[in-house]
Amino acid sequence: DDLETAPIVELSLEELLASDPNAVEGLVSRLYASFALTGPSGPASSDIVSPDAGEGAFLRAIINLQDFTADGMKNRWGDDGLDQLTTTSNWDRNNKFFRLFYDRAYFTIPQCNNFLQVLQTADFPDEENIVAETRFLRALAYYNIIDVFGKGVLATDENFGQSELLPESSRQELFDYVESELLAIEPVIRTTSNYGRANRYVVDMLLTKLYLNAEVYTGTPRWDDAAIYVNKVINEGGYSLDDNFIRLFSADNDASPEIIFPLIAESLTSQSFGNTTYLVNGNLSADTMPLSQFGAAQGWTGHRATEAWYGLFGNSAAELEASNDMRASLFWTDGHNYTMTDYRTWTDGFPSIKFRNTFSDGSGNPVDFSATDFPFYRLADAYLIYAELALRGAANTTMADALSYVNQVRTRSFADPIGMGELTLDLIIDERGRELNLEGHRRSDLIRFNMFTGGSYLWPWKGGSPNGTAISDDYKLFPIPVTAIQSNPNLTQNPGF
Amino acid sequence: TITDGSNSMPLPGVNVIIKGTTTGTSSDFDGKYSIEVNNGDVLVFSYVGFVNQEIVYNGQSTIDVVMQEDAAQLDEIVLIGYGSVKKEDATGSVDVVSTKDFNRGSIVSTDQLLNGKAAGVRITNNGGSPDSAPNIRIRGGSSLNAQNNPLIVIDGVPIGNDNPAGVSNPLTLVNPNDVESFSILKDASATAIYGSRASNGVIIITTKKGTSSGVKFNYSTDYTISSAGDGLDVMNGEEYTRFIQQFHPGRAGQLGVPTGSVNANQPVSQTLNGRDIYNTDWRDAILRTANSFNHNFSARANLFDKIPFRASVGLSRAEGIVINDNYERVTLSAKLTPTLLNDNLKIDFNAKTIFAFKNAIDAGGAIGEALSFDPTKPVYDFSSNNRFGGYYLTTFDDVADPTNFPNQGFRRIIQANPLARLEQRERPENVRRFLGNIEFDYTMPFLPELNAVVNFGLDASDANILERFANNAFETYRFDATNNDLNSIDTNFLFNPGVNFEENQRITNTTFDAYLQYKKIFDSGFINNFDVQTGYSYQNFKNDGYQRRSQYNLNTGVREPFFNLANPNNRYLNVLNLQSYFVRGNLSLGDRYLLTASFRADGSSLFTEDNRWGYFPAAALAWQIHEESFLKDSEFVNDLKLRVSWGETGQQDITGSVGFYPSIPLFLAGDANSQYLPNSSLYSAQPFNPDLTWEKTTTYNLGLDFSFFSNRLVTGTFDIYKRNTTDLLATTPVPPGQALTNAFIDNVGETESEGFELNLNVNPITTDNFNLSVNTNLSYNKTEVTNLNGLTEINAGGSLRGTGSDLFRHAVGQQAGSAYVFRQVYDSAGNPIPNAFVDLNGDNIIDDNDRYYKQIAPNWTFGFGINFNYKNWDFSSGFRGQVGGNVYNLAQLNLGFTESAVLSSQNNLTNVLNFFDGSANPVISDVNGNIQFSDFYLEDASFLRCDNIALGYRFDNLIKNGSVRVYGAVQNPFIITDYSGQDPENFGGIDGNFYPRPTAYTLGLNFDF
């Protein structure tokens, strides 16, 4: 019957499995790619319907929501809603950036559910491990829903395909689900994996993050549990700090021993406007910087750090230059003002040159898309978490180890080691800023330290004011996008929106 | 000679019969005839659509007859799909636009014949290029994400919605000279028989037929010269110098070029601080006075006295007013309409072959660059160190820290030369197309009331696109890291001339229709006649092609194939299949009541088996009031018919938003640049919706056809309609986590339209020597979204400035795709205050809740024409316009703020609108924030455009046995509008780098012999 037309470029599941013996690998690749690429048909394609393909990427959304809303990074474009993020003001449920993150997470989740159903259709090589990886990726997407929106629906492979609207699940319910999923796969998933894929320590790292922030998510601290898993990462994972801090953010960082879980980028074969290309090109501008020095052919004249970040190293461009901390050198100061009088003025604030597309020796050709992988989890983060847990009195931690780990992180970048007397929670949050800013952690960290909302800690443009002003506690969560509530009326809005 | 009273043209094919006998003849192509008669014989002259004339012969050597069109008996044949009716018997809302109504002048594409001629038909082309796409809307569009174009049927072959690759306008693939008439089906009872693709109306194009006697030739030729009118008011070199000195004095050192650094063929207009300032009109540099011509030759004959035959050959060469925008076309057509087997078998055979050759330019890119390129820079630079083939480009040497990174530096192009963009690339897009059908209509000899019709149609095209670059084309300029001499900016680059892209495509659309028709005429009784048709229709659309794509090697900069393992040829194959069963009955009662009912079942391959079939009924009633006894003898009312109809039609074409397989689960292999894990392919599960089914449109129509006063002084039609679309196919957000994406197409929502249309023709003067007629049409349409399944609005695109900034929304209670804007606040002097907006909801916060909707498409459209003939002179004119509607002046946004001049780069200046003469307002210094969503940029798009004016003269005796007509025409001589941008007639509603519509002067010759 001619009414039964059949495609030849797109394939049914049966055709796919018959045509490629490694089809399962390709399906797994797709799930990982969901965190870095925007779509399957080039950088202009998009898995989710969004006004601009690049804005629909997971990593770009994390940077927008975790770093631009926090103290250390600002963006100047505006882009129909980005201003509100960068100034933590006038958040509303229509802002497309909240929707894009929400929709991307709820793209990844059903893709995982669909794949888990596919895996049930037959026996595949390495199936147990692949199932565990898939459940990890789904848990990672849910973790971000918990962290950013605080609630959502619980879509699983069991209810996948059901047309009845799912009920709303609370933050506690999602927390319990993610915890149980991770605990179930942790003993199953392999301890080693090919590059870019999750292994047991990646799972441990996510468990660590979940327990570390448990007080924020559920009201009940879980410091001891966090310590169990961060210890596994540190002691069993086999990772070591990279001697060269620059390499962690350079095109050859796939060889770094420090990275626990990367999001892959390649200049030709893995192109996206929402992977590290957003970090490299976004922080560059031909107006004030030589792009070729950073291996980029484009500068988007977008992001700059603020003194809330580089002020941790010094109070002027000269002081940054004089600092022996290598991390202080990763700001472009020529032609830029230390103070961000107007976040929309490119020359106000120093662009971060932490991420670049050259190799760690400085070589590399200027290209349009970045080849630098994103260090989603790395050992220095685990070290600083350990120290924080020790300071918070978690079982199975010692202050001596904590001091050692903090100093290993500092001295790797040629910063002066600190003494035990200086090891405080205040130091930890600052050290996390110095070490980890622009890596997608900052907003969560500030909330855990109770510094994000209110007026006790101010940063440039907080609350829409050049010097910062207090913001409501409601800003600890983002509004649920109006499209989600309209398409599933079981969902309710977060307070204040 | 027999002539047509309306235009004094000879009328061929008029039957001349001696009354009371079967002796007769018909007029030839020049309207001439001869017949042997006796004194006292009465000659009856008859012709379809004209009043019969009887003339008594009493010795005249010649009898010249002027035939007058008969409005009351306007036996105009209307094609209504699977058959035809006389216009007077039509029950639906149908417009006919035929040769005499067509727009005149240089016509390259068939839609231009029709523009402005029919009420409720809005045709907006995308600009002034010869192949620019027409956007045709009949009574507005009722769909959101499904197809809104009408169905176009050419000689029985429905045209697919997929254009051949490289063809922007599918209607350029029919020679306008071959077209005889358009039938435009508007209401559901008229369109329902076309079912599945007819929700947005149907345009049936019929080509010219052969004659029943004699061999006749026609040759016509025209030559057209066209040029752009005034464009946007950007600054010239002197104004711009003044502007930079005044507004950006710190950047004045970037005006012009260092003295003596370039070797241009232009004079230096001034020297300023060691820099040569040129005065370049970049728009002028890329535009030209374009020359175009058409040649058409056709022959009509009656082969073997049995087979009416027409063949034509056409040759067109059209130049766009942007340099290198060239279009050439050769058309061949043949039509045979024999009648065989004692007139029981009628065959209609059509074959058209078209060869189109186009050079596709990047017009948008070049026009945008021409608007913004710094006018103090020269066009050319012939100096020896120019690497870009003699074109001046603004470049900047990006040199890294030479101590630490000695081998890194590259010459960045900051601003590309628009002329180089046009001249350094060629992109031939060649199409061969065959469009043909053969229809057999066989009347059963044993049962003359029954006939069977079978029609086979084929629309096949073969398209080839090639993109080639010249030597030193800046677009192929790449960094070569393997070059040994990396320190030299001048050598570590290379160009990649030659082929960059290739696409081959084959479209094969097949149609098969078969139906039986039973017709019964009763000589007496209340029932006059009835007929019933029942049949089956099959349409298959197949689009198969592949592309050769390229990418540049990261290290060497050399172009290499873009190789995708999973799909090495970048092949695509799209198949759409539609099948239908239909039945229709017509009944005529008491000489004045006409009833039509139809029912159609349609299946589409886009839907799963369970949801595949849609069922679409329609019915109509017409009352010929003038046949009632109280009007039958009225002098005032010649014709009065009331029509009432109701019907449902379906829509399934969502291929533009979700492709050809939206209902089944599929996996798509990632492109070569969308891979992820090393040593692995990438397969993506595609979203789908198994529940998709037909979108349904219900139309109610009330119409009146009328003709008043003697000599059809006033004739016209009036239709009022209401249309409701349900199960609207729209891309809407899905419940989070419950589908494979965040938004997908679904049957949600409703739209509602209402409106009316008036066609009015007034013929105040009708004499043998002088005719004057005025044709007008007016239509009102209001379409709004009434339900989005619980959603209040969905994004509808319309990208402005910056990333992902969309202007349009579909919102409940608004016209689909309305602009969602803030209300601008102005100071007492009338200047806009940047980023100050009215707090519409009064909550003291300016946020998205203060935005409101403004519609883009107009509610009112109109057209009118004045035509007259005086002896051998003929004059025609066409005007059209719209009242209301809005257009967003994107050029005003992008070029209308003072910072715009210095924004592209620290090392470059760009041109802006003229801030000195009011074209732009210097109070707007930047466009940060929400200012782009201000209604300041949204302007009223009302306009009145003079489409064409033509004047012709016919020489009867210049050549033997023939006539010659000479005419001159001007197209688009003027437009009246308040809009301040380039052109208010803009389908998409955002006026950016618009290709100007030229004013064209045509001189034409037409030979009949």
Side-chain angles (χ1 to χ4, degrees):
Chain A
D1 189 340
D2 288 352
L3 283 167
E4 294 287 345
T5 53
I8 59 153
V9 177
E10 301 92 339
L11 300 173
S12 70
L13 179 61
E14 296 72 27
E15 291 165 337
L16 174 63
L17 297 176
S19 72
D20 182 351
N22 294 320
V24 166
E25 296 274 309
L27 291 163
V28 171
S29 178
R30 194 287 155 269
L31 300 179
Y32 280 97
S34 170
F35 291 86
L37 300 185
T38 59
S41 307
S45 69
S46 187
D47 298 315
I48 61 173
V49 176
S50 75
D52 175 79
E55 289 180 339
F58 199 99
L59 176 54
R60 182 162 169 167
I62 283 182
I63 298 303
N64 287 341
L65 269 61
Q66 297 282 9
D67 282 298
F68 293 166
T69 60
D71 53 353
M73 287 299 301
K74 296 292 147 202
N75 173 283
R76 57 171 288 278
W77 296 326
D79 276 2
D80 194 15
L82 206 50
D83 274 342
Q84 291 89 314
L85 268 65
T86 230
T87 61
T88 46
S89 60
N90 297 324
W91 288 3
D92 71 63
R93 59 206 174 133
N94 293 310
N95 192 308
K96 71 177 177 189
F97 290 98
F98 305 137
R99 173 169 60 80
L100 290 169
F101 193 43
Y102 191 90
D103 287 358
R104 171 54 70 171
Y106 276 114
F107 166 82
T108 304
I109 289 164
Q111 285 281 338
C112 292
N113 291 335
N114 184 53
F115 182 55
L116 289 170
Q117 286 195 342
V118 166
L119 289 173
Q120 287 167 12
T121 58
D123 286 331
F124 298 98
D126 201 24
E127 186 168 337
E128 192 179 39
N129 194 54
I130 287 174
V131 167
E133 283 179 88
T134 306
R135 289 169 72 181
F136 164 75
L137 293 172
R138 182 174 61 182
L140 180 58
Y142 272 121
Y143 172 78
N144 281 283
I145 292 284
I146 295 169
D147 185 63
V148 166
F149 294 103
K151 56 190 178 181
V153 294
L154 189 53
T156 65
D157 45 318
E158 272 155 33
N159 60 30
F160 183 68
Q162 128 183 354
S163 57
E164 197 183 323
L165 294 176
L166 294 170
E168 183 171 86
S169 295
S170 68
R171 209 175 196 181
Q172 178 78 52
E173 286 166 334
L174 294 179
F175 182 96
D176 293 345
Y177 175 74
V178 171
E179 181 188 17
S180 69
E181 283 287 292
L182 294 175
L183 292 176
I185 60 175
E186 204 265 351
V188 176
I189 196 166
R190 295 213 182 121
T191 54
T192 58
S193 61
N194 289 331
Y195 188 71
R197 296 176 71 159
N199 60 24
R200 181 168 301 162
Y201 308 105
V202 177
V203 175
D204 289 338
M205 197 68 189
L206 182 53
L207 272 166
T208 302
K209 294 261 174 191
L210 188 72
Y211 291 130
L212 178 67
N213 292 294
E215 188 174 22
V216 174
Y217 301 154
T218 69
T220 310
R222 302 279 293 271
W223 313 117
D224 295 353
D225 290 313
I228 292 172
Y229 292 97
V230 81
N231 273 324
K232 291 183 80 166
V233 173
I234 293 171
N235 299 325
E236 299 170 25
Y239 305 101
S240 59
L241 290 184
D242 199 316
D243 295 340
N244 182 354
F245 187 71
I246 300 280
R247 173 159 73 163
L248 281 165
F249 314 99
S250 297
D252 51 351
N253 64 354
D254 51 338
S256 174
E258 182 174 334
I259 295 177
I260 299 167
F261 183 52
L263 299 183
I264 298 173
E266 291 296 338
S267 298
L268 271 188
T269 57
S270 201
Q271 297 179 342
S272 166
F273 292 110
N275 59 11
T276 49
T277 303
Y278 186 58
L279 296 173
V280 175
N281 294 4
N283 275 294
L284 294 174
S285 171
D287 277 5
T288 54
M289 309 159 79
L291 306 187
S292 57
Q293 183 170 328
F294 305 102
Q298 300 177 24
W300 296 351
T301 319
H303 328 321
R304 283 132 309 134
T306 72
E307 59 190 291
W309 181 3
Y310 45 73
L312 298 170
F313 301 105
N315 290 319
S316 67
E319 281 187 35
L320 295 187
E321 197 166 342
S323 170
N324 53 4
D325 190 335
M326 173 179 263
R327 299 170 301 184
S329 68
L330 301 180
F331 302 95
W332 186 267
T333 57
D334 284 0
H336 283 258
N337 303 315
Y338 181 89
T339 303
M340 188 178 277
T341 312
D342 181 353
Y343 70 94
R344 285 184 178 142
T345 300
W346 169 247
T347 49
D348 278 0
F350 300 151
S352 163
I353 49 174
K354 188 176 184 179
F355 285 90
R356 69 273 307 277
N357 193 39
T358 41
F359 290 87
S360 46
D361 64 0
S363 67
N365 312 320
V367 293
D368 289 329
F369 289 95
S370 166
T372 300
D373 299 339
F374 182 76
F376 197 88
Y377 292 144
R378 61 183 175 99
L379 188 62
D381 185 14
Y383 278 179
L384 292 177
I385 290 172
Y386 181 97
E388 180 182 337
L389 289 168
L391 283 161
R392 293 186 190 278
N396 297 311
T397 58
T398 67
M399 286 302 288
D401 282 347
L403 183 66
S404 162
Y405 288 145
V406 169
N407 278 333
Q408 283 182 50
V409 169
R410 287 178 59 83
T411 53
R412 178 260 303 270
S413 293
F414 311 109
D416 299 333
I418 57 164
M420 188 60 88
E422 295 167 89
L423 184 59
T424 62
L425 282 173
D426 286 349
L427 176 122
I428 292 295
I429 188 66
D430 285 352
E431 197 63 41
R432 287 187 69 83
R434 279 186 284 264
E435 177 73 15
L436 296 165
N437 261 355
L438 200 49
E439 294 181 52
H441 309 295
R442 193 61 178 167
R443 172 190 152 277
S444 302
D445 287 349
L446 289 178
I447 290 174
R448 188 171 69 252
F449 281 79
N450 215 8
M451 296 163 72
F452 188 68
T453 55
S456 60
Y457 174 56
L458 299 178
W459 60 81
W461 293 100
K462 181 180 181 181
S465 157
N467 298 315
T469 186
I471 57 174
S472 155
D473 277 347
D474 293 337
Y475 276 53
K476 283 182 182 174
L477 288 173
F478 292 99
I480 306 292
V482 66
T483 47
I485 293 179
Q486 287 186 337
S487 52
N488 184 349
N490 292 335
L491 295 169
T492 56
Q493 189 51 270
N494 279 326
F497 304 108
Chain B
T1 305
I2 303 174
T3 51
D4 178 349
S6 68
N7 58 9
S8 307
M9 296 292 281
L11 200 57
V14 176
N15 283 316
V16 185
I17 292 179
I18 301 172
K19 194 170 184 176
T21 72
T22 54
T23 312
T25 182
S26 62
S27 62
D28 68 14
F29 204 70
D30 305 317
K32 295 195 167 67
Y33 68 99
S34 65
I35 190 168
E36 286 186 19
V37 287
N38 301 316
N39 263 345
D41 282 351
V42 177
L43 290 176
V44 180
F45 299 84
S46 65
Y47 189 75
V48 168
F50 287 78
V51 180
N52 286 1
Q53 289 213 30
E54 297 188 3
I55 292 176
V56 182
Y57 177 74
N58 36 32
Q60 307 98 314
S61 59
T62 57
I63 301 178
D64 288 343
V65 180
V66 178
M67 299 290 286
Q68 297 297 346
E69 277 186 48
D70 183 354
Q73 281 296 325
L74 201 65
D75 279 353
E76 217 163 359
I77 296 298
V78 179
L79 289 169
I80 53 167
Y82 312 111
S84 59
V85 294
K86 286 186 286 188
K87 171 113 172 131
E88 61 162 359
D89 291 340
T91 54
S93 177
V94 181
D95 278 358
V96 177
V97 177
S98 57
T99 323
K100 63 179 170 24
D101 309 314
F102 290 166
N103 285 319
R104 310 257 169 95
S106 174
I107 304 281
V108 180
S109 81
T110 304
D111 53 286
Q112 293 167 342
L113 297 169
L114 180 63
N115 205 351
K117 295 300 182 186
V121 181
R122 179 173 179 241
I123 303 178
T124 315
N125 60 30
N126 281 349
S129 180
D131 186 43
S132 77
N135 297 283
I136 307 177
R137 292 290 178 272
I138 296 178
R139 295 182 167 179
S142 58
S143 298
L144 295 187
N145 295 93
Q147 183 64 245
N148 268 321
N149 282 324
L151 170 65
I152 294 171
V153 181
I154 302 176
D155 284 334
V157 184
I159 302 303
N161 285 324
D162 255 13
N163 290 343
V167 174
S168 316
N169 181 355
L171 292 173
T172 54
L173 296 186
V174 180
N175 185 346
N177 230 49
D178 289 339
V179 174
E180 182 168 79
S181 72
F182 298 89
S183 283
I184 298 146
L185 279 46
K186 296 194 284 200
D187 72 347
S189 99
T191 60
I193 199 66
Y194 277 112
S196 54
R197 294 179 59 205
S199 265
N200 295 296
V202 182
I203 297 179
I204 303 174
I205 299 176
T206 311
T207 58
K208 290 169 182 163
K209 287 190 177 60
T211 57
S212 49
S213 69
V215 182
K216 289 293 140 197
F217 302 100
N218 172 274
Y219 168 71
S220 66
T221 180
D222 59 65
Y223 172 74
T224 298
I225 186 160
S226 49
S227 60
D230 291 341
L232 292 170
D233 185 17
V234 292
M235 297 196 208
N236 66 26
E238 281 165 31
E239 290 162 340
Y240 190 69
T241 303
R242 186 150 60 94
F243 166 78
I244 291 295
Q245 287 170 334
Q246 184 175 337
F247 286 87
H248 304 287
R251 304 286 290 272
Q254 291 169 1
L255 288 164
V257 297
T259 296
S261 67
V262 306
N263 173 12
N265 59 350
Q266 282 172 260
V268 174
S269 78
Q270 57 174 312
T271 305
L272 201 70
N273 301 327
R275 294 180 72 88
D276 288 346
I277 309 290
Y278 290 86
N279 188 4
T280 301
D281 184 339
W282 284 99
R283 188 169 180 270
D284 215 39
I286 62 156
L287 296 182
R288 64 181 173 187
T289 300
N291 300 293
S292 303
F293 63 77
N294 290 299
H295 295 290
N296 289 290
F297 178 77
S298 67
R300 307 205 289 176
N302 193 2
L303 301 176
F304 318 112
D305 276 342
K306 274 216 174 310
I307 309 176
F309 167 78
R310 180 179 186 275
S312 75
V313 51
L315 173 65
S316 299
R317 183 188 150 84
E319 287 184 349
I321 53 170
V322 177
I323 282 172
N324 285 340
D325 181 19
N326 299 328
Y327 184 84
E328 283 178 58
R329 179 184 62 197
V330 178
T331 63
L332 302 167
S333 80
K335 184 175 190 115
L336 293 138
T337 47
T339 305
L340 307 171
L341 306 177
N342 297 325
D343 291 351
N344 280 332
L345 179 63
K346 287 185 220 154
I347 298 174
D348 187 344
F349 172 78
N350 291 286
K352 301 176 192 65
T353 306
I354 300 100
F355 303 89
F357 312 94
K358 178 167 82 169
N359 181 39
I361 57 166
D362 179 2
I367 291 168
E369 283 159 1
L371 288 173
S372 63
F373 208 111
D374 175 358
T376 67
K377 303 286 194 288
V379 178
Y380 297 103
D381 173 12
F382 300 111
S383 51
S384 58
N385 66 351
N386 178 303
R387 295 178 55 83
F388 300 103
Y391 297 95
Y392 179 85
L393 273 72
T394 316
T395 57
F396 168 67
D397 290 344
D398 180 8
V399 186
D401 172 2
T403 352
N404 295 320
F405 306 100
N407 58 352
Q408 281 170 30
F410 71 125
R411 176 169 293 176
R412 292 159 37 79
I413 297 169
I414 304 178
Q415 194 152 32
N417 185 314
L419 186 64
R421 186 176 292 283
L422 297 171
E423 295 190 330
Q424 290 186 329
R425 187 190 80 152
E426 56 175 358
R427 188 176 161 106
E429 303 188 339
N430 299 333
V431 180
R432 289 181 298 160
R433 184 186 201 182
F434 173 82
L435 182 65
N437 78 314
I438 183 160
E439 182 184 282
F440 301 95
D441 181 346
Y442 183 67
T443 303
M444 309 294 164
F446 53 89
L447 185 64
E449 291 87 359
L450 185 67
N451 63 325
V453 180
V454 180
N455 177 35
F456 299 91
L458 174 66
D459 175 4
S461 65
D462 193 354
N464 174 257
I465 294 177
L466 211 56
E467 182 182 64
R468 279 192 295 257
F469 286 98
N471 294 331
N472 302 91
F474 73 87
E475 288 177 84
T476 68
Y477 185 65
R478 287 296 179 281
F479 183 70
D480 175 12
T482 64
N483 193 305
N484 290 328
D485 187 9
L486 290 177
N487 283 312
S488 167
I489 284 281
D490 279 334
T491 55
N492 57 8
F493 287 90
L494 78 160
F495 293 93
N496 288 276
V499 175
N500 183 57
F501 174 81
E502 186 177 1
E503 178 168 1
N504 282 291
Q505 182 204 58
R506 194 174 284 261
I507 288 183
T508 316
N509 296 343
T510 48
T511 309
F512 168 74
D513 306 314
Y515 62 94
L516 282 172
Q517 175 162 327
Y518 181 81
K519 249 188 267 193
K520 180 87 181 159
I521 298 173
F522 299 92
D523 292 335
S524 59
F526 188 63
I527 299 177
N528 307 110
N529 63 59
F530 77 89
D531 67 83
V532 180
Q533 294 141 1
T534 180
Y536 163 77
S537 167
Y538 170 98
Q539 294 173 56
N540 196 63
F541 304 92
K542 183 174 155 201
N543 182 350
D544 190 359
Y546 65 90
Q547 297 176 333
R548 274 184 232 283
R549 298 191 222 161
S550 310
Q551 62 189 13
Y552 293 94
N553 186 289
L554 292 178
N555 294 314
T556 63
V558 171
R559 184 192 296 122
E560 56 193 20
F562 177 90
F563 192 71
N564 185 357
L565 201 64
N567 186 5
N569 290 326
N570 297 301
R571 187 172 170 194
Y572 53 89
L573 173 71
N574 300 321
V575 180
L576 170 65
N577 190 274
L578 299 171
Q579 295 182 38
S580 317
Y581 299 91
F582 57 87
V583 57
R584 176 171 62 191
N586 293 305
L587 185 62
S588 170
L589 300 171
D591 287 325
R592 51 192 190 277
Y593 305 110
L594 303 162
L595 275 165
T596 303
S598 64
F599 185 78
R600 175 154 167 149
D602 282 287
S604 167
S605 64
L606 295 180
F607 306 138
T608 57
E609 199 166 353
D610 290 344
N611 303 310
R612 178 161 294 156
W613 291 90
Y615 303 95
F616 305 105
L621 171 68
W623 175 26
Q624 288 176 323
I625 307 173
H626 64 269
E627 295 286 346
E628 295 287 352
S629 52
F630 59 87
L631 278 181
K632 202 153 190 175
D633 300 318
S634 166
E635 289 285 310
F636 173 71
V637 176
N638 303 320
D639 184 18
L640 193 62
K641 182 169 72 174
L642 185 70
R643 295 177 274 105
V644 179
S645 74
W646 160 86
E648 286 183 2
T649 48
Q651 174 63 272
Q652 48 83 42
D653 192 349
I654 43 179
T655 57
S657 31
V658 286
F660 287 76
Y661 311 100
S663 304
I664 50 174
L666 292 169
F667 292 84
L668 177 68
D671 273 0
N673 54 353
S674 288
Q675 301 297 315
Y676 190 74
L677 292 176
N679 307 315
S680 164
S681 45
L682 183 144
Y683 298 108
S684 200
Q686 297 295 96
F688 65 102
N689 181 350
D691 300 325
L692 286 176
T693 190
W694 291 85
E695 174 180 306
K696 293 186 180 64
T697 299
T698 307
T699 308
Y700 303 89
N701 195 90
L702 184 67
L704 195 67
D705 299 343
F706 55 86
S707 164
F708 298 138
F709 306 110
S710 59
N711 279 338
R712 65 195 188 99
L713 181 66
V714 177
T715 63
T717 62
F718 179 78
D719 279 276
I720 182 162
Y721 61 87
K722 188 175 161 71
R723 190 163 62 163
N724 184 23
T725 298
T726 56
D727 288 344
L728 195 68
L729 287 162
T731 302
T732 47
V734 296
Q738 295 185 261
L740 290 168
T741 184
N742 64 330
F744 200 70
I745 204 146
D746 200 359
N747 293 95
V748 296
E750 294 179 30
T751 60
E752 224 167 75
S753 309
E754 51 195 34
F756 70 86
E757 287 143 7
L758 176 68
N759 278 309
L760 195 65
N761 303 319
V762 184
N763 302 280
I765 303 170
T766 314
T767 69
D768 287 355
N769 279 334
F770 188 66
N771 278 292
L772 174 66
S773 66
V774 180
N775 312 312
T776 61
N777 65 72
L778 174 70
S779 59
Y780 172 84
N781 174 280
K782 181 166 180 265
T783 301
E784 64 179 41
V785 178
T786 51
N787 182 2
L788 285 172
N789 210 23
L791 303 171
T792 49
E793 59 185 30
I794 46 184
N795 186 300
S799 186
L800 297 177
R801 191 185 171 85
T803 307
S805 298
D806 287 345
L807 178 64
F808 300 131
R809 308 270 174 109
H810 300 308
V812 172
Q814 305 295 330
Q815 187 184 73
S818 288
Y820 189 48
V821 288
F822 290 100
R823 180 159 288 153
Q824 181 64 47
V825 172
Y826 298 84
D827 67 14
S828 55
N831 294 313
I833 303 171
N835 280 312
F837 306 117
V838 177
D839 182 13
L840 285 183
N841 67 355
D843 63 356
N844 295 321
I845 300 168
I846 302 295
D847 58 15
D848 262 6
N849 298 321
D850 294 303
R851 291 167 79 170
Y852 72 107
Y853 292 97
K854 281 190 99 163
Q855 69 184 59
I856 294 300
N859 288 346
W860 294 91
T861 53
F862 61 89
F864 61 91
I866 300 165
N867 304 306
F868 69 81
N869 301 289
Y870 175 69
K871 293 191 173 165
N872 285 5
W873 290 94
D874 61 89
F875 171 88
S876 68
S877 60
F879 297 82
R880 103 193 122 77
Q882 68 184 44
V883 179
N886 291 287
V887 61
Y888 187 96
N889 192 341
L890 186 63
Q892 179 69 239
L893 175 75
N894 284 333
L895 305 173
F897 60 101
T898 54
E899 288 291 317
S900 174
V902 295
L903 211 60
S904 75
S905 160
Q906 200 77 4
N907 307 295
N908 186 43
L909 299 172
T910 58
N911 206 353
V912 287
L913 293 174
N914 197 327
F915 286 91
F916 298 118
D917 69 359
S919 295
N921 194 329
V923 305
I924 302 177
S925 62
D926 66 56
V927 290
N928 293 331
N930 276 326
I931 191 167
Q932 62 178 328
F933 298 116
S934 166
D935 61 4
F936 172 72
Y937 295 103
L938 209 55
E939 299 185 37
D940 187 346
S942 300
F943 70 89
L944 166 65
R945 185 190 296 279
C946 178
D947 252 345
N948 60 82
I949 295 173
L951 181 66
Y953 184 82
R954 180 169 51 80
F955 298 92
D956 287 330
N957 304 313
L958 213 59
I959 54 172
K960 209 175 164 187
N961 297 327
S963 66
V964 180
R965 179 170 173 268
V966 182
Y967 66 94
V970 53
Q971 273 178 291
N972 192 27
F974 63 86
I975 180 167
I976 299 170
T977 180
D978 283 340
Y979 177 61
S980 68
Q982 176 71 43
D983 196 321
E985 189 175 6
N986 190 302
F987 182 74
I990 296 178
D991 180 20
N993 302 329
F994 192 79
Y995 194 123
R997 294 189 174 96
T999 300
Y1001 300 90
T1002 302
L1003 190 63
L1005 283 170
N1006 188 43
F1007 299 86
D1008 284 308
F1009 52 98

